[in-house]
Amino acid sequence: MKEKLAGTILLCALVPLMIIGYLLIVIVGTFGKVSRVRQGVRALDHFVNATLFNGYAWESVSSHAWRERDKRWAKIVIKVTDWFQKNHCKRANSREQAIIDLVRKKHLDDQTIGKQL
């Protein structure tokens, strides 16, 4: 219960900031230096992966799609990203798999709020 309450309070604070951040990404990405918004786009990618695709918060949709490449949704993601860069999902996974393995090995994805040490 403590974790759910903390998560709800955190979301109430973060959602308005996320909307502002998204708008900043759109404006700066369109009219400014793309390098400034690259990390924001990466963070949104990870957010979408964790929420919509039930993936890891530290992994991109592309990397997750490559791991799950036999599933229908992943095949669609792979096909779409291949239009922009051949083997994009495979490349993303080769960059991110070591991070996934480390986080899981060290149990960094375990619950922290409300957990007894």
Side-chain angles (χ1 to χ4, degrees):
M1 185 63 175
K2 196 181 214 180
E3 184 179 30
K4 286 184 179 184
L5 180 62
T8 300
I9 292 168
L10 186 60
L11 274 177
C12 288
L14 286 178
V15 168
L17 294 173
M18 290 186 321
I19 293 169
I20 293 167
Y22 171 77
L23 293 173
L24 183 69
I25 287 171
V26 170
I27 293 166
V28 174
T30 302
F31 302 108
K33 295 180 94 175
V34 175
S35 60
R36 177 165 181 209
V37 299
R38 190 170 287 123
Q39 293 303 316
V41 171
R42 184 168 287 137
L44 284 174
D45 184 6
H46 290 215
F47 172 76
V48 167
N49 184 52
T51 56
L52 297 180
F53 293 100
N54 195 29
Y56 299 124
W58 55 87
E59 180 181 36
S60 67
V61 173
S62 300
S63 176
H64 185 189
W66 186 256
R67 280 192 308 105
E68 303 285 344
R69 59 189 171 270
D70 293 332
K71 294 188 177 176
R72 186 170 184 247
W73 71 266
K75 289 177 183 179
I76 294 168
V77 170
I78 292 168
K79 188 171 193 149
V80 169
T81 58
D82 273 351
W83 287 342
F84 299 100
Q85 180 186 36
K86 189 73 176 153
N87 294 320
H88 173 80
C89 293
K90 183 177 181 180
R91 292 175 194 201
N93 183 261
S94 68
R95 281 191 317 268
E96 297 175 25
Q97 191 61 50
I99 296 166
I100 294 163
D101 294 341
L102 177 67
V103 169
R104 295 189 74 211
K105 179 182 175 186
K106 300 280 186 175
H107 303 283
L108 299 176
D109 57 331
D110 289 351
Q111 175 184 344
T112 55
I113 296 175
K115 183 177 179 183
Q116 298 295 326
L117 296 174

